[in-house]
Amino acid sequence: MSNIRFRLNGVETTVDADPDRSLLDIIRGPLRMTGPHFGCGANECGACNVIVGDHAVAACDTPLWSVADKDITTIEGLGSAREPHPLQRAFIAEQALQCGYCVSGILMSAAALLMRNPNPASDDVRAALDRNLCRCGSHNRMVRAVLRAAAEMADR
Ligand code: FES
Ligand code: FES
């Protein structure tokens, strides 16, 4: 066990745990945030994606030790029911989800893209979401939603 410190959704956080445990285990377990979902557990579906710095990573395949002193954002830090992020508003406007299981991971991939590239082309969005699986087949509407959010953010 060892103390690992990082910032989680802007809050200084210290976890006393096995540094080889996955970040997803820690977030969903002791930190009690259930936004990042467990899908494949093997870095193949993106359901567990969170943002570390300005890149989306699969939390199921990210050891705790590797996020020491880093900034981590989960879906809980993106927006809220009262103040949704433009991406969340756009996903609703475009009806870009069905069961919703994949969506928190997809929103984090999209948010990381917009942090690095506020004016993405459709191909940029498709590339950013390439490793996120959606069993409901909502990808085309998701791409439209990300472009809609980018346009709204550019107009602010
Ligand atoms: S649960 Fe992490 S990539 Fe599938
Ligand atoms: S909306 Fe159901 S898996 Fe994507």
Side-chain angles (χ1 to χ4, degrees), residues 97-103 134-136 138 142:
L97 66 163
Q98 293 187 53
C99 77
Y101 197 82
C102 68
V103 172
C134 173
R135 290 172 65 96
C136 298
S138 302
M142 290 171 174

Side-chain angles (χ1 to χ4, degrees), residues 49 56 109-110 113 116-117 120-132 139 143 146:
N49 277 8
S109 294
L113 169 68
R116 302 190 308 275
N117 177 3
S122 176
D123 284 351
D124 298 325
V125 178
R126 290 177 192 282
L129 302 187
D130 189 47
R131 290 179 60 81
N132 289 87
H139 268 115
V143 171
V146 177

Side-chain angles (χ1 to χ4, degrees), residues 39-41 43-46 48 58 60:
C40 64
N43 195 2
E44 290 185 352
C45 75
C48 65
C60 72

Side-chain angles (χ1 to χ4, degrees), residues 8-154:
L8 180 62
N9 299 326
V11 177
E12 294 289 343
T13 302
T14 303
V15 173
D16 183 19
D18 178 346
D20 288 329
R21 272 180 77 181
S22 79
L23 180 59
L24 183 63
D25 257 4
I26 298 298
I27 289 174
R28 289 185 59 89
L31 298 179
R32 299 180 182 280
M33 290 188 184
T34 55
H37 288 164
F38 182 89
C40 64
N43 195 2
E44 290 185 352
C45 75
C48 65
N49 277 8
V50 301
I51 299 175
V52 177
D54 61 1
H55 281 79
V57 302
C60 72
D61 197 34
T62 299
L64 182 60
W65 61 260
S66 72
V67 299
D69 298 322
K70 303 264 176 75
D71 282 290
I72 301 169
T73 309
T74 68
I75 188 73
E76 287 87 348
L78 193 68
S80 64
R82 186 168 290 187
E83 288 187 66
H85 187 278
L87 278 166
Q88 292 167 311
R89 285 201 299 273
F91 269 59
I92 293 168
E94 295 288 347
Q95 299 189 22
L97 66 163
Q98 293 187 53
C99 77
Y101 197 82
C102 68
V103 172
S104 63
I106 287 187
L107 285 169
M108 302 321 286
S109 294
L113 169 68
L114 296 184
M115 288 167 82
R116 302 190 308 275
N117 177 3
N119 186 26
S122 176
D123 284 351
D124 298 325
V125 178
R126 290 177 192 282
L129 302 187
D130 189 47
R131 290 179 60 81
N132 289 87
L133 301 184
C134 173
R135 290 172 65 96
C136 298
S138 302
H139 268 115
N140 286 332
R141 281 178 281 158
M142 290 171 174
V143 171
R144 282 203 299 274
V146 177
L147 294 171
R148 181 183 185 124
E152 181 191 322
M153 292 164 76

